[in-house]
Amino acid sequence: MTANPDAPFRVVFVCSGNICRSPMADVVFRRIADTSGLGAHIASSSAGTGDWHVGERADHRTLAALERLGYDGSSHRARQFQYADFERNDLVVALDRSHERVLRGWARDDDDADKIALLQSFLSDAETLDVPDPYYAGAPMFDEVLGMIERASRALFRQLEPAIRSAG
């Protein structure tokens, strides 16, 4: 939990370019937190390991997949993960093992490294630890990826919820 008990628990979701998977995870996790009544005690964001899309909106297929399930990702703007994100966040959630490797390479110390987790690792029955990149696929893959992210985000939230409730 955060050093300051009054501060929200901060989570950043990280993928490659911050236009597909990590914005989905941020939007989904935010909805879960808000629906649970803990929205004020949790802050989430997203970032990419690369800088290719900085300042851009989420991919139109990401936005469409989110919209089909009643989510709104329209305010998202891509950004690149920065070293300061380790300091600003309590948990750094990678969407696949390549992101995890990059983040571990960027970690300056054990405290940074200890904050890194794979989203799928929160599922006890995950078939894979990687959420696949839908960028080079069609709309059905975006929907499939969103479903994976919803399931894993609910599992992540269930793990965090007791500590956040007791701190709040």
Side-chain angles (χ1 to χ4, degrees):
M1 297 301 299
T2 61
N4 176 354
D6 297 326
F9 185 85
R10 297 186 178 280
V11 180
V12 61
F13 297 93
V14 182
C15 70
S16 301
N18 192 217
I19 60 169
C20 296
R21 294 169 286 178
S22 57
M24 283 181 182
D26 179 27
V27 168
V28 166
F29 192 75
R30 168 79 1 233
R31 160 100 48 92
I32 293 167
D34 289 345
T35 301
S36 76
L38 293 175
H41 302 284
I42 297 172
S44 66
S45 63
S46 65
T49 57
D51 65 356
W52 316 284
H53 301 288
V54 169
E56 294 178 19
R57 295 179 55 150
D59 185 284
H60 67 94
R61 297 162 298 176
T62 296
L63 295 172
L66 287 166
E67 188 175 305
R68 281 191 288 279
L69 293 182
Y71 296 103
D72 180 7
S74 63
S75 65
H76 173 77
R77 295 299 176 268
R79 68 180 192 86
Q80 186 175 21
F81 188 89
Q82 304 292 320
Y83 288 115
D85 284 308
F86 282 118
E87 295 164 21
R88 284 192 290 261
N89 290 281
D90 302 295
L91 182 61
V92 178
V93 181
L95 276 284
D96 72 28
R97 286 173 286 189
S98 70
H99 309 128
E100 180 189 35
R101 280 190 297 275
V102 169
L103 291 165
R104 290 198 183 283
W106 289 346
R108 296 162 296 189
D109 54 33
D110 288 343
D111 288 339
D112 287 354
D114 289 345
K115 293 180 178 185
I116 302 167
L118 282 162
L119 180 60
Q120 288 287 95
S121 71
F122 294 97
L123 289 169
S124 60
D125 63 346
E127 293 179 17
T128 177
L129 290 176
D130 296 327
V131 175
D133 188 352
Y135 186 75
Y136 294 104
M141 183 64 166
F142 280 79
D143 293 335
E144 182 180 328
V145 164
L146 180 54
M148 291 176 74
I149 288 170
E150 283 185 313
R151 191 166 171 264
S153 294
R154 283 191 295 272
L156 166 59
F157 186 79
R158 280 192 303 272
Q159 193 162 355
L160 295 175
E161 184 178 18
I164 292 169
R165 282 199 188 281
S166 68

